[in-house]
Amino acid sequence: MPDPYYITTAISYPNGPPHIGHAYEAIAADTIARFHKLRGREVRFQTGTDEHGLKMARKAEEQGKTARELADEMSSKFKHMCDALHIEYDRFIRTVDDDHHRASKALWERMEARGDLYLDRYEGWYSVRDEAFYYEKELIEGEGGERLSPQGTPVEWTTEESWFFRLSKYRDALLELLRGNPDFIRPERSRNEMIAFLEGDLRDLSVSRTSFDWGVKVPGSENHVMYVWVDALTNYLTGLGFPDETDNWRKFWPADLHLIGKDIARFHTIYWPAFLMSADLPLPKQVFAHGFVLKGGQKESKSLGNVSDPLELAEMYGVDTLRYFLLREISFGQDGNWSHEAIVTRTNAELANSFGNLCQRVLSMIHKNMDGALSDYYFDGADRTLLTIVQRACRDELPEAFEQLRFSVGIEAWLRAVFACNQYVDEQAPWALKKSDPTRMAAVLQTLFIAIRDLAIAIQPVIPEKSKLVLDQLGIASERRSYDDLQDESWFGALVAKGHMIEKPAPVFPRLELSEAVAA
């Protein structure tokens, strides 16, 4: 039995509505979760919202709301996004949840018992937008000469009493972790950045605030609330029942993968493992810091006012189309661009014209020219060659690439098999064989039937709804659609023995048109 698998996204900060970057991370995580389920693993998948902190408190004040009112309103938008994009999470966690407050306090108490928390006074630069502290040497100069964070966000000088975490105490252990375990953080770029940070002037971390009260109260210091990242990171534990020894805790911790954006790598690969070391808890197995989704070469953000609504894109082009485009277009771990033109062009070329047209032609010919009935047949050399190409892509190349989170590489291998099928159709010309050699025609069409089944099973993590429609039209039972089923050589004979019939198919991948409104 394969080991259980626990994957998380970063929990989204809901001071504004979701943008394409939030959708990208959720889609990628959902694809990974579905992939491991298809490989027979028991999967736990968690996402949610990070609702505390100064940024939320100020935004609520600006809007004349309480922080909780704003949190409830905005968190619901992120949950709706996940549901609309077919994100199959096991828990959508909110940091306002009672069990999360309990878990955060339990982690704090463990760090305090270790002697790693002390009370002092904080003076330094703080970015409200990033909810992050920065050293003077990290700051950059803006166009007007003002100081900015490395992310280009405003910083302000902060002075207040604060609890500190002895981060410097864990420098050597963290360096050993990052140097000795190259896979702990991927890609390599992020690992090198974090090692360079640790090799610098690593100071202890301010982990509480007194200037506002919207957050988890520090145990024994009720005038302090926890630094939002202490609270936020703890969500990965909360969702498994920490601090209780639940079945989920025993089964799924440590996490197999924290999937995050590259701009929050420091919090997840330096602060988080240090907190866990202090609390004497196992470390996650891997953190993957993906890149940004850019539009016109620029990162989308609420502050820049260039946010694209992912639900509008899904409504315009289809959920599976958006999922496919983002994972196909962008090399995972790097930044990538999107545009309406790119979505339409790639979808039409690869899903509509290639895979969709293949499915529609083959099933239509089986329905029309074979009365929808499958039969036993003999393979010839061309048939075996095609099925070898398809099986290699679906059984080996795509799964191996997806294991390494190389989605575009895996999809490319899958697409080469689709192209091979279309080339085989053109070469074999089953429409001409109908009169000259109907037995051979049946062999060609049924070879393609087998290939389409394999292709539809393999691509399910990326386009789950469209794959289901194809497999439904093929008549493949819902319980026979796992990756293990790709290894089964007897399934086709079983369908023939049952007298399986193919109904007239309906198109699954319609061509897209670029509207004048978005093209302008």
Side-chain angles (χ1 to χ4, degrees):
M1 185 72 179
D3 291 337
Y5 188 87
Y6 180 34
I7 178 173
T8 70
T9 67
I11 50 175
S12 302
Y13 206 78
N15 64 320
H19 57 65
I20 192 71
H22 297 117
Y24 178 56
E25 183 168 301
I27 288 167
D30 182 69
T31 298
I32 296 165
R34 289 175 185 269
F35 169 74
H36 285 287
K37 287 177 185 176
L38 287 169
R39 302 204 89 175
R41 301 182 78 171
E42 184 179 0
V43 174
R44 177 84 178 176
F45 171 24
Q46 182 167 298
T47 188
T49 45
D50 169 17
E51 300 168 40
H52 293 137
L54 181 58
K55 184 163 50 174
M56 283 290 286
R58 287 187 177 176
K59 177 64 71 172
E61 186 178 358
E62 289 172 11
Q63 297 183 5
K65 300 173 181 176
T66 67
R68 181 58 190 255
E69 286 172 340
L70 177 64
D72 289 345
E73 174 191 344
M74 299 309 297
S75 179
S76 67
K77 295 180 184 294
F78 282 81
K79 187 174 186 299
H80 175 62
M81 178 200 76
C82 288
D83 293 339
L85 296 177
H86 305 156
I87 308 303
E88 289 190 334
Y89 53 82
D90 293 287
R91 177 165 178 182
F92 187 95
I93 196 166
R94 298 183 59 190
T95 54
V96 296
D97 294 341
D98 290 342
D99 64 338
H100 178 68
H101 280 241
R102 177 171 173 258
S104 300
K105 290 178 179 180
L107 182 71
W108 181 281
E109 288 167 347
R110 286 191 179 213
M111 295 191 296
E112 187 174 32
R114 192 70 172 264
D116 287 339
L117 298 175
Y118 62 93
L119 199 59
D120 204 338
R121 190 164 188 82
Y122 176 76
E123 291 189 3
W125 295 105
Y126 188 75
S127 167
V128 176
R129 195 176 298 168
D130 298 345
E131 293 283 10
F133 302 96
Y134 292 107
Y135 300 152
E136 179 80 34
K137 65 181 181 181
E138 293 184 274
L139 303 181
I140 60 176
E141 187 174 315
E143 291 183 2
E146 72 277 19
R147 288 181 171 90
L148 300 175
S149 78
Q151 316 298 334
T153 58
V155 294
E156 55 189 55
W157 186 258
T158 300
T159 302
E160 63 183 303
E161 182 183 72
S162 175
W163 283 94
F164 282 79
F165 173 74
R166 298 186 192 279
L167 183 62
S168 56
K169 171 182 171 181
Y170 291 93
R171 178 209 304 270
D172 291 344
L174 291 167
L175 281 170
E176 182 179 352
L177 171 67
L178 298 190
R179 289 171 176 163
N181 182 4
D183 285 338
F184 176 74
I185 176 171
R186 295 175 54 210
E188 183 73 10
R189 173 203 67 240
S190 291
R191 177 171 168 263
N192 291 337
E193 289 174 0
M194 295 307 105
I195 289 174
F197 178 77
L198 287 169
E199 289 175 337
D201 182 21
L202 188 67
R203 302 175 188 174
D204 290 347
L205 179 67
S206 172
V207 289
S208 76
R209 307 295 301 274
T210 58
S211 54
F212 61 96
D213 62 0
W214 176 237
V216 179
K217 303 295 185 183
V218 170
S221 299
E222 292 299 305
N223 61 322
H224 287 252
V225 295
M226 293 182 194
Y227 174 40
V228 66
W229 277 101
V230 178
D231 147 29
L233 292 162
T234 306
N235 93 88
Y236 305 131
L237 307 178
T238 306
L240 300 180
F242 178 83
D244 298 330
E245 286 282 333
T246 64
D247 288 343
N248 278 339
W249 174 259
R250 287 187 290 268
K251 185 183 296 182
F252 291 109
W253 191 262
D256 291 88
L257 179 65
H258 291 324
L259 189 62
I260 64 166
K262 66 180 183 179
D263 53 336
I264 54 174
R266 182 189 303 181
F267 305 98
H268 283 81
T269 61
I270 294 178
Y271 300 166
W272 182 226
F275 297 161
L276 293 171
M277 289 175 185
S278 175
D280 197 25
L281 293 171
L283 306 187
K285 298 173 186 176
Q286 186 174 90
V287 178
F288 192 98
H290 64 76
F292 297 141
V293 181
L294 309 175
K295 186 177 183 181
Q298 190 175 39
K299 181 186 176 185
E300 294 192 7
S301 73
K302 293 179 280 288
S303 58
L304 293 174
N306 64 346
V307 172
S308 301
D309 184 346
L311 297 189
E312 287 185 3
L313 294 176
E315 179 70 23
M316 188 178 300
Y317 299 119
V319 172
D320 276 14
T321 294
L322 181 62
R323 291 172 64 107
Y324 180 88
F325 173 80
L326 290 173
L327 296 180
R328 171 77 172 104
E329 182 78 9
I330 301 171
S331 180
F332 203 60
Q334 299 179 19
D335 295 345
N337 273 286
W338 80 273
S339 68
H340 292 283
E341 293 83 358
I343 292 175
V344 170
T345 299
R346 190 172 287 285
T347 300
N348 285 343
E350 298 178 2
L351 291 182
N353 295 352
S354 296
F355 188 50
N357 190 42
L358 172 70
C359 297
Q360 183 68 15
R361 283 202 294 174
V362 170
L363 295 184
S364 293
M365 283 189 281
I366 291 175
H367 174 73
K368 180 179 179 181
N369 299 337
M370 297 171 58
D371 296 324
L374 303 179
S375 62
D376 289 322
Y377 76 100
Y378 294 100
F379 295 99
D380 78 359
D383 308 335
R384 294 185 184 279
T385 297
L386 176 67
L387 291 181
T388 297
I389 292 171
V390 171
Q391 289 168 356
R392 183 170 60 243
C394 296
R395 298 179 184 181
D396 301 322
E397 294 173 336
L398 182 147
E400 288 170 5
F402 277 30
E403 279 281 1
Q404 294 298 315
L405 310 185
R406 301 170 69 202
F407 302 117
S408 59
V409 173
I411 296 172
E412 177 67 29
W414 176 84
L415 197 60
R416 287 196 300 271
V418 172
F419 293 156
C421 288
N422 283 306
Q423 183 178 349
Y424 170 89
V425 173
D426 293 341
E427 291 171 351
Q428 298 297 319
W431 52 87
L433 291 170
K434 180 182 178 182
K435 292 183 179 179
S436 63
D437 192 347
T439 301
R440 178 61 192 151
M441 177 201 70
V444 168
L445 292 177
Q446 291 181 134
T447 297
L448 290 163
F449 180 93
I450 293 170
I452 291 170
R453 174 261 192 181
D454 286 4
L455 291 165
I457 287 176
I459 203 65
Q460 286 177 101
V462 180
I463 49 172
E465 297 303 312
K466 295 293 189 180
S467 297
K468 179 182 183 298
L469 291 176
V470 172
L471 291 166
D472 286 349
Q473 292 193 21
L474 294 175
I476 306 301
S478 58
E479 68 274 11
R480 299 304 306 273
R481 299 178 181 185
S482 75
Y483 281 14
D484 281 347
D485 291 313
L486 289 172
Q487 310 295 329
D488 180 12
E489 302 292 346
S490 65
W491 69 274
F492 183 78
L495 282 185
V496 173
K498 288 195 305 182
H500 187 65
M501 300 291 293
I502 303 299
E503 301 296 330
K504 183 178 181 180
V508 175
F509 298 97
R511 282 182 56 82
L512 300 178
E513 298 294 336
L514 186 65
S515 72
E516 293 182 4
V518 300

